[in-house]
Amino acid sequence: MSRDSKQLRYAETHEWVDVAEENGERIATIGISKFAIEALNDLVYMDLPEVGRKLAIGDEFGEVESVKAVSPLYSPVAGEVVAVHTELPDNLEGLNEDPYEFGWILKVKLDGEPAETLMDHATYEKQCAQAG
Amino acid sequence: MTFRMTPRGNSVPTHPLMTQSSAPASHESSAPNGLSQTPLDQWHRDAGAKMVPFAGYEMPIQYGDGIVAEHQACRNRAALFDVSHMGRLRFDGDGAAEFLDHVLTRRVSDLGVGGVRYSMVCNADGGILDDVLVSHLETPSERRFHLLVVNASNRAKIIQWLTPLLAEFPTVTMSDRTELTAMIAVQGPLAIETCKKLLSFDPARLKNYQARITDQFAKPVIVSRTGYTGEDGLELIVRAEEANRVWENILLAGRDSGFIAAGLGARDTLRMEAGMPLYGHELSETVDPLTVGLKFAVNLADRSFVGDAALRKIKADGPQKTRIGLLPEGKRPAREGSDVLDSNGTKIGTVTSGGPSPTLGVPIAMALVDRERGSDSEYQIDIRGRSVVARPTKLPFYRRPVS
């Protein structure tokens, strides 16, 4: 099963969110968009949160670094971190190749709804096109 | 996530740096945002460069292949850099060398025609106003002059600094030729060989830190065997209107050898690996050349110049700080501004430049630390709240193989 980027929702700050039912819980899987990864280019480092951490919408949960830039990652949802993709920091090229499947960063057990400001794919694409 | 991308029709051909006549209209254009553009601006945009503001210019930070690919092209083949944002000041008249002697930390009066010297402009306290390259050149009509290449960010400041000092040297004139010319750096192991095909003078005959005026398809060009990457290579200064032709000719000549254009991002990772200081990072008015480990750029023997008394005192007392190279453990790069701590966690310095090294595959950093702690065997760097162990290493981090 490959995650369809068109079915995801996106934050203005380039995180994607996929909400699904898993064992009766609502779980948000979060990553960063292909646009952001391509814009950052040459990723060298990623910092992940710990499992069990409680996140509020907008909390900084980690960061990703390219050769020139440090970019904080912001949570588009509230809830508890239930899983982090620990293989990712050592395989950042995999994030380039497959940002929506292999590139998942963390899973959060939702507490309430994701941020209302999340965009659908078409709206997000429009934002990216404007950002140039 | 938020992006923080921060991070240049006469019988004798004329050249703005080679003629003393009053300047024709500027070829430099200015965008509506108030930033200047180099003569190669459109080329960069057409090539898909990501443009960023830098020292008052819109400059390419990287092209489509990215910083690492551009960095590696320079280390393994050659890369072209538009460094037209650098300031180019020409000095003419009797006493020009004596004037430069008076304002630079190294002697200029003994610099023969064709010589290039790295030097500092210091204030009376020995604080660094800029680090510069001074060249002594001769035109085809046998007119000699000196050229000072200054940092883009310091150009206005240096002109302002030198203008009153020039009053004591009435026969010397200073003219800012930055906007009339373009400057292209061709850097990498294949740079000299490829440029040879394009120039009337074989640049292989230049030693490091030598320069001369020659031509490229009958148009004058200043060729200098200098650079800011740790590789062999050339820096070319041409008339602004020749910039695109020369740039494209070099790219074409180097196409089969894998030459590519590289931006400021790669220029920074390359100079960092080569242990070269950058103004605004390792260098500033609050430090002197001796403190940052650039003793070679200060000549105090039998001469006087602006700042010499202060530098003599610093030399006698010993500098308060020293510049070191660090290898932080792990993959997380330490960036400029991070605190350097001793093994007890006490702050003893600051990272001046840091990032990943594409050649070594690990993070590297330069730091200014208290002098008495300059030989510690282990340090810690506080990277945004987390301490990382860092091992000291000799600068430079990278030295090119001897060919």
Side-chain angles (χ1 to χ4, degrees):
Chain A
M1 59 146 227
S2 184
R3 202 168 265 126
D4 181 358
S5 62
K6 293 197 172 54
Q7 301 303 317
L8 303 174
R9 280 185 291 168
Y10 297 84
E12 195 185 347
T13 48
H14 305 286
E15 294 82 7
W16 58 257
V17 187
D18 182 20
V19 178
E21 295 275 337
E22 286 182 28
N23 306 321
E25 305 277 8
R26 291 180 72 223
I27 303 291
T29 305
I30 297 166
I32 50 179
S33 75
K34 191 176 174 64
F35 173 85
I37 292 162
E38 284 175 358
L40 281 171
N41 197 286
D42 298 328
L43 297 176
V44 295
Y45 177 80
M46 178 176 265
D47 197 30
L48 299 173
E50 284 176 11
V51 171
R53 189 175 152 193
K54 297 269 200 302
L55 293 172
I57 288 172
D59 276 2
E60 195 177 314
F61 67 77
E63 62 183 26
V64 60
E65 288 199 48
S66 68
V67 175
K68 281 304 281 181
V70 183
S71 300
L73 302 167
Y74 301 106
S75 181
V77 301
E80 182 186 338
V81 177
V82 292
V84 294
H85 191 178
T86 50
E87 285 170 46
L88 201 52
D90 291 323
N91 297 282
L92 288 171
E93 65 284 1
L95 190 59
N96 284 308
E97 288 156 17
D98 188 3
Y100 301 108
E101 198 59 46
F102 178 78
W104 73 273
I105 298 172
L106 74 164
K107 291 178 187 286
V108 177
K109 187 168 82 181
L110 280 184
D111 180 9
E113 291 302 312
E116 285 175 10
T117 50
L118 291 183
M119 294 171 265
D120 63 17
H121 184 259
T123 312
Y124 175 68
E125 290 243 292
K126 209 174 290 171
Q127 177 199 296
C128 293
Q130 279 162 1
Chain B
M1 138 172 24
T2 45
F3 296 113
R4 285 187 211 149
M5 278 280 196
T6 45
R8 281 128 248 177
N10 296 345
S11 53
V12 177
T14 59
H15 185 297
L17 266 165
M18 290 170 218
T19 49
Q20 275 184 287
S21 56
S22 59
S26 165
H27 292 276
E28 190 167 288
S29 48
S30 194
N33 55 15
L35 295 169
S36 297
Q37 298 176 335
T38 80
L40 291 160
D41 185 83
Q42 192 58 48
W43 191 94
H44 301 318
R45 291 173 197 277
D46 291 346
K50 181 177 174 62
M51 305 297 284
V52 296
F54 182 83
Y57 281 79
E58 283 191 280
M59 295 297 291
I61 190 161
Q62 64 174 76
Y63 302 84
D65 293 336
I67 294 171
V68 172
E70 293 166 18
H71 180 110
Q72 284 162 345
C74 180
R75 288 272 179 260
N76 301 323
R77 304 183 297 278
L80 274 78
F81 302 82
D82 177 7
V83 289
S84 302
H85 61 307
M86 303 281 291
R88 293 170 288 282
L89 309 178
R90 174 177 162 151
F91 297 83
D92 281 280
D94 283 343
E98 287 70 25
F99 169 70
L100 292 167
D101 251 7
H102 177 60
V103 298
L104 298 181
T105 54
R106 287 174 89 186
R107 208 183 287 277
V108 179
S109 49
D110 66 345
L111 186 66
V113 169
V116 183
R117 206 162 269 173
Y118 178 70
S119 186
M120 303 278 156
V121 182
C122 285
N123 61 27
D125 302 326
I128 302 169
L129 292 167
D130 201 11
D131 64 329
V132 301
L133 281 181
V134 58
S135 312
H136 191 189
L137 295 161
E138 186 176 75
T139 67
S141 55
E142 297 183 352
R143 184 181 287 281
R144 292 180 180 184
F145 66 93
H146 287 85
L147 169 67
L148 202 62
V149 175
V150 305
N151 279 293
S153 54
N154 291 332
R155 177 175 142 217
K157 178 181 81 175
I158 289 298
I159 292 171
Q160 206 175 4
W161 173 255
L162 296 181
T163 301
L165 295 169
L166 267 170
E168 290 170 47
F169 295 80
T171 53
V172 181
T173 58
M174 170 173 71
S175 51
D176 182 359
R177 302 301 169 101
T178 310
E179 296 180 9
L180 300 170
T181 55
M183 188 160 164
I184 296 168
V186 193
Q187 301 278 303
L190 304 179
I192 303 275
E193 193 184 309
T194 301
C195 288
K196 188 178 183 166
K197 302 172 197 162
L198 301 170
L199 301 166
S200 323
F201 173 82
D202 179 0
R205 287 171 57 199
L206 295 173
K207 294 184 186 143
N208 284 335
Y209 286 87
Q210 285 189 342
R212 70 176 281 151
I213 297 171
T214 178
D215 56 60
Q216 205 271 313
F217 291 126
K219 304 288 186 183
V221 50
I222 297 172
V223 182
S224 168
R225 195 160 183 176
T226 49
Y228 194 51
T229 59
E231 294 302 325
D232 195 4
L234 301 173
E235 291 178 301
L236 310 175
I237 299 173
V238 299
R239 279 199 298 222
E241 60 269 33
E242 304 294 338
N244 281 275
R245 191 180 54 79
V246 172
W247 176 270
E248 299 217 19
N249 281 347
I250 300 167
L251 269 179
L252 193 63
R255 191 173 58 182
D256 295 340
S257 314
F259 283 31
I260 59 171
L264 292 180
R267 189 167 156 82
D268 193 42
T269 53
L270 289 158
R271 71 91 196 168
M272 237 193 286
E273 286 185 349
M276 292 170 153
L278 175 57
Y279 200 89
H281 300 258
E282 283 70 36
L283 312 181
S284 71
E285 289 178 37
T286 63
V287 293
D288 63 87
L290 304 174
T291 294
V292 290
L294 298 172
K295 199 167 69 181
F296 78 94
V298 179
N299 179 0
L300 291 165
D302 305 322
R303 58 187 298 262
S304 69
F305 56 90
V306 179
D308 72 328
L311 291 170
R312 276 177 224 282
K313 184 170 188 325
I314 293 162
K315 190 184 173 188
D317 297 349
Q320 300 286 303
K321 293 186 169 163
T322 186
R323 180 164 62 112
I324 60 168
L326 292 172
L327 296 170
E329 278 183 2
K331 287 189 169 181
R332 193 184 203 198
R335 305 284 180 174
E336 181 187 356
S338 297
D339 288 348
V340 178
L341 317 170
D342 65 13
S343 39
N344 299 320
T346 307
K347 182 179 171 178
I348 55 165
T350 306
V351 171
T352 52
S353 291
S357 158
T359 306
L360 304 180
V362 295
I364 55 174
M366 287 190 268
L368 209 53
V369 299
D370 296 343
R371 184 180 50 149
E372 62 271 22
R373 310 309 299 272
S375 315
D376 285 13
S377 57
E378 194 179 287
Y379 299 86
Q380 295 180 69
I381 303 177
D382 180 347
I383 308 180
R384 295 184 292 284
R386 231 180 302 162
S387 281
V388 171
V389 172
R391 236 166 7 88
T393 185
K394 255 186 104 149
L395 294 172
F397 299 98
Y398 164 87
R399 204 184 286 275
R400 71 172 177 261
V402 182
S403 52

mmCIF file with all atom_site columns, all heavy atoms in Angstrom, chain B residues 329-343:
data_model
loop_
_atom_site.group_PDB
_atom_site.id
_atom_site.type_symbol
_atom_site.label_atom_id
_atom_site.label_alt_id
_atom_site.label_comp_id
_atom_site.label_asym_id
_atom_site.label_entity_id
_atom_site.label_seq_id
_atom_site.pdbx_PDB_ins_code
_atom_site.Cartn_x
_atom_site.Cartn_y
_atom_site.Cartn_z
_atom_site.occupancy
_atom_site.B_iso_or_equiv
_atom_site.pdbx_formal_charge
_atom_site.auth_seq_id
_atom_site.auth_comp_id
_atom_site.auth_asym_id
_atom_site.auth_atom_id
_atom_site.pdbx_PDB_model_num
ATOM 1   N N   . GLU B 1 329 ? 30.977 15.070 17.326 1.00 0.00 ? 329 GLU B N   1
ATOM 2   C CA  . GLU B 1 329 ? 30.576 13.669 17.157 1.00 0.00 ? 329 GLU B CA  1
ATOM 3   C C   . GLU B 1 329 ? 29.165 13.587 16.604 1.00 0.00 ? 329 GLU B C   1
ATOM 4   O O   . GLU B 1 329 ? 28.342 14.453 16.865 1.00 0.00 ? 329 GLU B O   1
ATOM 5   C CB  . GLU B 1 329 ? 30.634 12.945 18.511 1.00 0.00 ? 329 GLU B CB  1
ATOM 6   C CG  . GLU B 1 329 ? 32.039 12.502 18.856 1.00 0.00 ? 329 GLU B CG  1
ATOM 7   C CD  . GLU B 1 329 ? 32.092 11.721 20.168 1.00 0.00 ? 329 GLU B CD  1
ATOM 8   O OE1 . GLU B 1 329 ? 31.031 11.490 20.786 1.00 0.00 ? 329 GLU B OE1 1
ATOM 9   O OE2 . GLU B 1 329 ? 33.211 11.357 20.557 1.00 0.00 ? 329 GLU B OE2 1
ATOM 10  N N   . GLY B 1 330 ? 28.891 12.514 15.874 1.00 0.00 ? 330 GLY B N   1
ATOM 11  C CA  . GLY B 1 330 ? 27.549 12.296 15.347 1.00 0.00 ? 330 GLY B CA  1
ATOM 12  C C   . GLY B 1 330 ? 27.346 13.042 14.043 1.00 0.00 ? 330 GLY B C   1
ATOM 13  O O   . GLY B 1 330 ? 28.295 13.479 13.399 1.00 0.00 ? 330 GLY B O   1
ATOM 14  N N   . LYS B 1 331 ? 26.085 13.157 13.664 1.00 0.00 ? 331 LYS B N   1
ATOM 15  C CA  . LYS B 1 331 ? 25.772 13.732 12.357 1.00 0.00 ? 331 LYS B CA  1
ATOM 16  C C   . LYS B 1 331 ? 25.271 15.159 12.451 1.00 0.00 ? 331 LYS B C   1
ATOM 17  O O   . LYS B 1 331 ? 25.108 15.835 11.451 1.00 0.00 ? 331 LYS B O   1
ATOM 18  C CB  . LYS B 1 331 ? 24.656 12.903 11.699 1.00 0.00 ? 331 LYS B CB  1
ATOM 19  C CG  . LYS B 1 331 ? 25.103 11.551 11.210 1.00 0.00 ? 331 LYS B CG  1
ATOM 20  C CD  . LYS B 1 331 ? 23.995 10.934 10.403 1.00 0.00 ? 331 LYS B CD  1
ATOM 21  C CE  . LYS B 1 331 ? 24.475 9.700  9.670  1.00 0.00 ? 331 LYS B CE  1
ATOM 22  N NZ  . LYS B 1 331 ? 23.405 9.117  8.857  1.00 0.00 ? 331 LYS B NZ  1
ATOM 23  N N   . ARG B 1 332 ? 24.958 15.595 13.667 1.00 0.00 ? 332 ARG B N   1
ATOM 24  C CA  . ARG B 1 332 ? 24.304 16.885 13.787 1.00 0.00 ? 332 ARG B CA  1
ATOM 25  C C   . ARG B 1 332 ? 25.330 18.016 13.679 1.00 0.00 ? 332 ARG B C   1
ATOM 26  O O   . ARG B 1 332 ? 26.233 18.124 14.509 1.00 0.00 ? 332 ARG B O   1
ATOM 27  C CB  . ARG B 1 332 ? 23.603 16.964 15.138 1.00 0.00 ? 332 ARG B CB  1
ATOM 28  C CG  . ARG B 1 332 ? 22.654 18.116 15.240 1.00 0.00 ? 332 ARG B CG  1
ATOM 29  C CD  . ARG B 1 332 ? 22.073 18.171 16.633 1.00 0.00 ? 332 ARG B CD  1
ATOM 30  N NE  . ARG B 1 332 ? 20.801 18.882 16.602 1.00 0.00 ? 332 ARG B NE  1
ATOM 31  C CZ  . ARG B 1 332 ? 20.252 19.389 17.698 1.00 0.00 ? 332 ARG B CZ  1
ATOM 32  N NH1 . ARG B 1 332 ? 20.821 19.228 18.869 1.00 0.00 ? 332 ARG B NH1 1
ATOM 33  N NH2 . ARG B 1 332 ? 19.115 20.027 17.604 1.00 0.00 ? 332 ARG B NH2 1
ATOM 34  N N   . PRO B 1 333 ? 25.198 18.873 12.671 1.00 0.00 ? 333 PRO B N   1
ATOM 35  C CA  . PRO B 1 333 ? 26.185 19.939 12.515 1.00 0.00 ? 333 PRO B CA  1
ATOM 36  C C   . PRO B 1 333 ? 26.034 20.989 13.617 1.00 0.00 ? 333 PRO B C   1
ATOM 37  O O   . PRO B 1 333 ? 24.923 21.315 14.020 1.00 0.00 ? 333 PRO B O   1
ATOM 38  C CB  . PRO B 1 333 ? 25.846 20.547 11.151 1.00 0.00 ? 333 PRO B CB  1
ATOM 39  C CG  . PRO B 1 333 ? 24.873 19.616 10.506 1.00 0.00 ? 333 PRO B CG  1
ATOM 40  C CD  . PRO B 1 333 ? 24.181 18.897 11.615 1.00 0.00 ? 333 PRO B CD  1
ATOM 41  N N   . ALA B 1 334 ? 27.184 21.478 14.089 1.00 0.00 ? 334 ALA B N   1
ATOM 42  C CA  . ALA B 1 334 ? 27.180 22.633 14.992 1.00 0.00 ? 334 ALA B CA  1
ATOM 43  C C   . ALA B 1 334 ? 27.219 23.865 14.104 1.00 0.00 ? 334 ALA B C   1
ATOM 44  O O   . ALA B 1 334 ? 28.014 23.934 13.181 1.00 0.00 ? 334 ALA B O   1
ATOM 45  C CB  . ALA B 1 334 ? 28.395 22.584 15.894 1.00 0.00 ? 334 ALA B CB  1
ATOM 46  N N   . ARG B 1 335 ? 26.366 24.815 14.367 1.00 0.00 ? 335 ARG B N   1
ATOM 47  C CA  . ARG B 1 335 ? 26.296 26.002 13.512 1.00 0.00 ? 335 ARG B CA  1
ATOM 48  C C   . ARG B 1 335 ? 26.941 27.195 14.209 1.00 0.00 ? 335 ARG B C   1
ATOM 49  O O   . ARG B 1 335 ? 27.167 27.187 15.414 1.00 0.00 ? 335 ARG B O   1
ATOM 50  C CB  . ARG B 1 335 ? 24.831 26.327 13.186 1.00 0.00 ? 335 ARG B CB  1
ATOM 51  C CG  . ARG B 1 335 ? 24.061 25.171 12.554 1.00 0.00 ? 335 ARG B CG  1
ATOM 52  C CD  . ARG B 1 335 ? 24.424 24.980 11.098 1.00 0.00 ? 335 ARG B CD  1
ATOM 53  N NE  . ARG B 1 335 ? 23.663 23.867 10.504 1.00 0.00 ? 335 ARG B NE  1
ATOM 54  C CZ  . ARG B 1 335 ? 23.701 23.560 9.215  1.00 0.00 ? 335 ARG B CZ  1
ATOM 55  N NH1 . ARG B 1 335 ? 24.464 24.252 8.378  1.00 0.00 ? 335 ARG B NH1 1
ATOM 56  N NH2 . ARG B 1 335 ? 23.009 22.545 8.748  1.00 0.00 ? 335 ARG B NH2 1
ATOM 57  N N   . GLU B 1 336 ? 27.149 28.238 13.404 1.00 0.00 ? 336 GLU B N   1
ATOM 58  C CA  . GLU B 1 336 ? 27.731 29.465 13.924 1.00 0.00 ? 336 GLU B CA  1
ATOM 59  C C   . GLU B 1 336 ? 26.937 29.969 15.129 1.00 0.00 ? 336 GLU B C   1
ATOM 60  O O   . GLU B 1 336 ? 25.715 29.933 15.125 1.00 0.00 ? 336 GLU B O   1
ATOM 61  C CB  . GLU B 1 336 ? 27.681 30.527 12.814 1.00 0.00 ? 336 GLU B CB  1
ATOM 62  C CG  . GLU B 1 336 ? 28.288 31.836 13.230 1.00 0.00 ? 336 GLU B CG  1
ATOM 63  C CD  . GLU B 1 336 ? 28.080 32.916 12.179 1.00 0.00 ? 336 GLU B CD  1
ATOM 64  O OE1 . GLU B 1 336 ? 27.533 32.616 11.111 1.00 0.00 ? 336 GLU B OE1 1
ATOM 65  O OE2 . GLU B 1 336 ? 28.487 34.048 12.444 1.00 0.00 ? 336 GLU B OE2 1
ATOM 66  N N   . GLY B 1 337 ? 27.662 30.417 16.155 1.00 0.00 ? 337 GLY B N   1
ATOM 67  C CA  . GLY B 1 337 ? 26.999 30.975 17.326 1.00 0.00 ? 337 GLY B CA  1
ATOM 68  C C   . GLY B 1 337 ? 26.832 29.995 18.461 1.00 0.00 ? 337 GLY B C   1
ATOM 69  O O   . GLY B 1 337 ? 26.521 30.396 19.585 1.00 0.00 ? 337 GLY B O   1
ATOM 70  N N   . SER B 1 338 ? 27.046 28.697 18.202 1.00 0.00 ? 338 SER B N   1
ATOM 71  C CA  . SER B 1 338 ? 26.920 27.715 19.278 1.00 0.00 ? 338 SER B CA  1
ATOM 72  C C   . SER B 1 338 ? 28.055 27.919 20.283 1.00 0.00 ? 338 SER B C   1
ATOM 73  O O   . SER B 1 338 ? 29.184 28.210 19.904 1.00 0.00 ? 338 SER B O   1
ATOM 74  C CB  . SER B 1 338 ? 27.020 26.291 18.722 1.00 0.00 ? 338 SER B CB  1
ATOM 75  O OG  . SER B 1 338 ? 25.955 26.029 17.842 1.00 0.00 ? 338 SER B OG  1
ATOM 76  N N   . ASP B 1 339 ? 27.731 27.733 21.573 1.00 0.00 ? 339 ASP B N   1
ATOM 77  C CA  . ASP B 1 339 ? 28.757 27.853 22.617 1.00 0.00 ? 339 ASP B CA  1
ATOM 78  C C   . ASP B 1 339 ? 29.700 26.661 22.567 1.00 0.00 ? 339 ASP B C   1
ATOM 79  O O   . ASP B 1 339 ? 29.261 25.524 22.388 1.00 0.00 ? 339 ASP B O   1
ATOM 80  C CB  . ASP B 1 339 ? 28.110 27.901 24.005 1.00 0.00 ? 339 ASP B CB  1
ATOM 81  C CG  . ASP B 1 339 ? 27.412 29.225 24.263 1.00 0.00 ? 339 ASP B CG  1
ATOM 82  O OD1 . ASP B 1 339 ? 27.623 30.181 23.480 1.00 0.00 ? 339 ASP B OD1 1
ATOM 83  O OD2 . ASP B 1 339 ? 26.655 29.308 25.252 1.00 0.00 ? 339 ASP B OD2 1
ATOM 84  N N   . VAL B 1 340 ? 30.995 26.939 22.758 1.00 0.00 ? 340 VAL B N   1
ATOM 85  C CA  . VAL B 1 340 ? 31.975 25.863 22.946 1.00 0.00 ? 340 VAL B CA  1
ATOM 86  C C   . VAL B 1 340 ? 32.267 25.788 24.440 1.00 0.00 ? 340 VAL B C   1
ATOM 87  O O   . VAL B 1 340 ? 32.532 26.805 25.085 1.00 0.00 ? 340 VAL B O   1
ATOM 88  C CB  . VAL B 1 340 ? 33.269 26.140 22.147 1.00 0.00 ? 340 VAL B CB  1
ATOM 89  C CG1 . VAL B 1 340 ? 34.287 25.033 22.385 1.00 0.00 ? 340 VAL B CG1 1
ATOM 90  C CG2 . VAL B 1 340 ? 32.957 26.263 20.654 1.00 0.00 ? 340 VAL B CG2 1
ATOM 91  N N   . LEU B 1 341 ? 32.166 24.579 24.996 1.00 0.00 ? 341 LEU B N   1
ATOM 92  C CA  . LEU B 1 341 ? 32.325 24.370 26.435 1.00 0.00 ? 341 LEU B CA  1
ATOM 93  C C   . LEU B 1 341 ? 33.529 23.474 26.684 1.00 0.00 ? 341 LEU B C   1
ATOM 94  O O   . LEU B 1 341 ? 33.908 22.670 25.822 1.00 0.00 ? 341 LEU B O   1
ATOM 95  C CB  . LEU B 1 341 ? 31.081 23.701 27.016 1.00 0.00 ? 341 LEU B CB  1
ATOM 96  C CG  . LEU B 1 341 ? 29.717 24.224 26.538 1.00 0.00 ? 341 LEU B CG  1
ATOM 97  C CD1 . LEU B 1 341 ? 28.595 23.295 27.014 1.00 0.00 ? 341 LEU B CD1 1
ATOM 98  C CD2 . LEU B 1 341 ? 29.480 25.633 27.041 1.00 0.00 ? 341 LEU B CD2 1
ATOM 99  N N   . ASP B 1 342 ? 34.120 23.596 27.874 1.00 0.00 ? 342 ASP B N   1
ATOM 100 C CA  . ASP B 1 342 ? 35.154 22.621 28.229 1.00 0.00 ? 342 ASP B CA  1
ATOM 101 C C   . ASP B 1 342 ? 34.465 21.382 28.792 1.00 0.00 ? 342 ASP B C   1
ATOM 102 O O   . ASP B 1 342 ? 33.231 21.317 28.855 1.00 0.00 ? 342 ASP B O   1
ATOM 103 C CB  . ASP B 1 342 ? 36.190 23.232 29.191 1.00 0.00 ? 342 ASP B CB  1
ATOM 104 C CG  . ASP B 1 342 ? 35.584 23.603 30.538 1.00 0.00 ? 342 ASP B CG  1
ATOM 105 O OD1 . ASP B 1 342 ? 34.437 23.177 30.824 1.00 0.00 ? 342 ASP B OD1 1
ATOM 106 O OD2 . ASP B 1 342 ? 36.250 24.308 31.298 1.00 0.00 ? 342 ASP B OD2 1
ATOM 107 N N   . SER B 1 343 ? 35.253 20.395 29.215 1.00 0.00 ? 343 SER B N   1
ATOM 108 C CA  . SER B 1 343 ? 34.621 19.136 29.630 1.00 0.00 ? 343 SER B CA  1
ATOM 109 C C   . SER B 1 343 ? 33.814 19.290 30.923 1.00 0.00 ? 343 SER B C   1
ATOM 110 O O   . SER B 1 343 ? 33.005 18.444 31.258 1.00 0.00 ? 343 SER B O   1
ATOM 111 C CB  . SER B 1 343 ? 35.671 18.031 29.764 1.00 0.00 ? 343 SER B CB  1
ATOM 112 O OG  . SER B 1 343 ? 36.841 18.563 30.323 1.00 0.00 ? 343 SER B OG  1
#
